Amino acid sequence: MGHPGVPGDHDRAEDRATANGPAAVPRGRRQGVLVASQGGLPKHPLWFRNIQANPETTVQIKSRIRTMRARVASDEERAAYWPRLTAMYPDFDNYQSWTDRVIPVVVCE
């Protein structure tokens, strides 16, 4: 995994404006991974609903901006990513313990 806090721009479902969200970048892959944690709150973050409605997004890695398509990780993918994500940012485990929802992991390709 790479750089936490890489902004990603997502079209808002209701007005086609953009919003930012954090991302992690697996090293050696052409993917970005976003965690829709919302700090463990009971509802998904707005950007997650936006990206479900409009999966075309841009991800910035350092100074490079790439257009990508977002999708929710499968259960198997999430299980593989989660330990790496929590190793990078341990609070993700806390957030998961504070909510009944499964915190989505979003893969941008």
Side-chain angles (χ1 to χ4, degrees), residues 4-68:
V6 178
D9 290 328
H10 322 290
D11 284 341
R12 291 186 183 164
E14 57 278 352
D15 63 6
R16 302 295 293 173
T18 59
N20 291 320
V25 182
R27 295 180 196 274
R29 293 191 181 181
R30 301 191 59 82
Q31 294 179 324
V33 179
L34 298 96
V35 180
S37 67
Q38 186 85 343
L41 292 175
K43 293 184 179 179
H44 294 310
L46 181 59
W47 68 259
F48 178 73
R49 295 194 312 262
N50 293 338
I51 215 165
Q52 285 183 301
N54 299 301
E56 296 300 321
T57 188
T58 59
V59 175
Q60 182 175 346
I61 303 167
K62 298 186 180 183
S63 63
R64 185 173 174 208
I65 298 173
R66 293 179 44 201
T67 300
M68 303 183 100

